[in-house]
């Protein structure tokens, strides 16, 4: 198995835990306060990780285009997190997490449009299954 697949599986496992433990962390507080506290912890953990994993010499390779795209990514992350936490506070974890995973369909379309990645029959079938799953689980 290729290394990136292993990383993606580990990411999936962490993401699955994230929703459940976040919902538990929101008990008795607002989604906004919960997100703020979580983000502080994320910032600390990422800074420690960077101190351990990033070669300081690599910082010189950063260009304006890297900053611009990563800043845009941060803006979209904030939007995602704010509304995810609002939904998580009010809704069932399974339904909120599944709807959030519908972002895969958006990512497929954006990767095709912006990055010129191919949309294959396999991706189309997978996207249809994701959207179908969204309707099946989200419908009461």
């Amino acid at each position: 198995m290729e290394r990136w697949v292993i990383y993606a599986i580990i990411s999936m496992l962490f993401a699955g835990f994230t929703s459940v433990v976040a919902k538990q962390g929101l008990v008795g507080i607002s989604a906004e306060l919960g997100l703020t506290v979580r983000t502080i912890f994320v910032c600390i953990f990422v800074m420690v990780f960077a101190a351990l994993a990033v070669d300081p010499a690599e910082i010189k390779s950063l260009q304006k285009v890297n900053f611009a795209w990563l800043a845009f990514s941060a803006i979209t992350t904030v939007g995602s997190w704010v509304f995810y936490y609002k939904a998580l506070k009010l809704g069932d974890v399974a339904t909120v997490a599944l709807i959030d995973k519908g972002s895969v369909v958006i990512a497929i379309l954006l990767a095709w449009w912006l990055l010129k990645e191919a949309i294959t029959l396999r991706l189309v079938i997978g996207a249809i299954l994701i959207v179908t799953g969204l309707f099946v689980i989200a419908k009461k």
Side-chain angles (χ1 to χ4, degrees):
M1 187 177 306
E2 294 185 55
R3 185 175 291 180
W4 69 266
V5 175
I6 295 168
Y7 292 158
I9 291 169
I10 294 168
S11 172
M12 174 191 68
L13 294 171
F14 276 111
F17 275 92
T18 298
S19 300
V20 174
V21 298
K23 176 81 173 185
Q24 200 59 35
L26 292 174
V27 172
I29 62 171
S30 69
E32 294 78 11
L33 178 59
L35 175 60
T36 302
V37 171
R38 174 194 186 241
T39 304
I40 290 168
F41 279 112
V42 168
C43 183
I44 292 167
F45 295 143
V46 168
M47 295 304 282
V48 169
F49 172 76
L52 297 172
V54 176
D55 181 355
E58 185 180 8
I59 294 171
K60 294 178 184 174
S61 67
L62 283 170
Q63 299 175 8
K64 288 181 183 178
V65 69
N66 300 116
F67 281 105
W69 281 109
L70 292 172
F72 188 50
S73 174
I75 291 165
T76 59
T77 298
V78 168
S80 173
W81 286 4
V82 164
F83 290 102
Y84 185 83
Y85 267 67
K86 285 179 170 293
L88 197 59
K89 178 72 179 175
L90 301 172
D92 295 332
V93 172
T95 306
V96 171
L98 177 67
I99 292 169
D100 180 65
K101 297 313 174 232
S103 63
V104 171
V105 177
I106 304 300
I108 290 168
L109 293 172
L110 287 173
W112 167 75
W113 182 47
L114 295 173
L115 306 175
K116 308 302 181 217
E117 292 185 5
I119 294 184
T120 63
L121 179 60
R122 178 180 57 87
L123 285 176
V124 170
I125 292 170
I128 290 169
L129 290 171
I130 289 169
V131 171
T132 303
L134 287 170
F135 285 113
V136 168
I137 291 180
K139 188 168 174 63
K140 295 284 182 187

